[in-house]
Amino acid sequence: MAGLRLLLVMTLLTGVLYPLAVWSVARLPGLSHQAEGSVIVVDGQPVGSQHLGIDLVDPASAQDPTADRYFHHRPSAGADGPLGAGDPNQSGGSNLAADNDELTQLVHQRAAAIAAREGVSVDAVPADAVTASGSGLDPDISPAYAELQVGRVARVAGLDEQRVRDLVTAHTAGRELGVLGAPTVNVLALNLAVRDAVHEQP
C-alpha cells in the first residue's frame, strides 16, 4: 500500500501539478511569446519565428534566386541543395571536419552560386554565406552578407538601394553587452521590413 500511495502522490506531483505550473508560468505576460516559439504573425498568418532561419514571407520567390527580392539566410546542412532552405523539423550540423573534401567542395559550390546570384566575385562572398551554423537554422546573418545582397534586393524589389541599406542598418543588432559576439542581422525581420517598404510604394 505504501508503494501505491507513493505512486499516486508522485503521479499527481510530476504528472499533473508540475506540468500545470510550467504551463501557467508560460502564460505570464512577457513570457507567452517566447513559450510559443516566438512566432511572427502577419495578417493573421504565421510567417516564421524570430529564432529560426526559416521564413515564409514569400517562399515562391526563392525558386528563381536571381529574381528574389528578399534576403537569404545562411545555408543549412540539412538542405537538399547547396543553398536550399533548412527544414524546421530537423536541426544539426554536417559533422564534416574543416578539412573534409566534401565540405570544401560544398563551400566552393555555395560561393560560386552566391557570387553568380549577387553578381560579384567569389572573393567578395563572406564566410557565413557559405558555412552552415551548428543548428542549421540560424536566424541571423552578418552585416557583410546582408550588404552583399542589398543590390539585388533593391533592384528586384524596385526600391532605392540606400533605402534597403537603411533597412539593413535598422535591423542590425550590436554585440551582446557591447563586447560579446558579433553584430547580426535578423533575416525574417529584415524581409518583413522589405515587404512593407514595397507595399508602401505608390
Side-chain angles (χ1 to χ4, degrees), residues 10-148:
M10 294 306 295
T11 298
L12 179 63
L13 287 176
T14 62
V16 179
L17 297 180
Y18 177 73
L20 183 60
V22 172
W23 181 86
S24 299
V25 170
R27 305 277 74 76
L28 291 175
L31 295 179
S32 59
H33 181 64
Q34 293 91 326
E36 295 297 331
S38 302
V39 175
I40 305 299
V41 177
V42 177
D43 298 330
Q45 296 294 322
V47 295
S49 167
Q50 67 186 62
H51 298 303
L52 289 178
I54 304 291
D55 71 62
L56 303 174
V57 174
D58 187 5
S61 66
Q63 293 177 5
D64 181 2
T66 59
D68 188 358
R69 68 182 182 185
Y70 292 109
F71 288 84
H72 287 254
H73 294 275
R74 293 180 65 180
S76 171
D80 292 334
L83 296 177
D87 182 352
N89 295 312
Q90 62 182 5
S91 158
S94 66
N95 291 327
L96 299 176
D99 60 351
N100 183 280
D101 290 339
E102 182 181 343
L103 179 60
T104 301
Q105 182 180 5
L106 183 58
V107 166
H108 287 315
Q109 288 177 349
R110 288 169 175 166
I114 292 172
R117 184 184 74 202
E118 308 301 342
V120 299
S121 68
V122 171
D123 294 338
V125 179
D128 68 307
V130 296
T131 54
S133 64
S135 69
L137 298 172
D138 194 332
D140 304 316
I141 58 176
S142 68
Y145 189 22
E147 173 61 30
L148 183 72

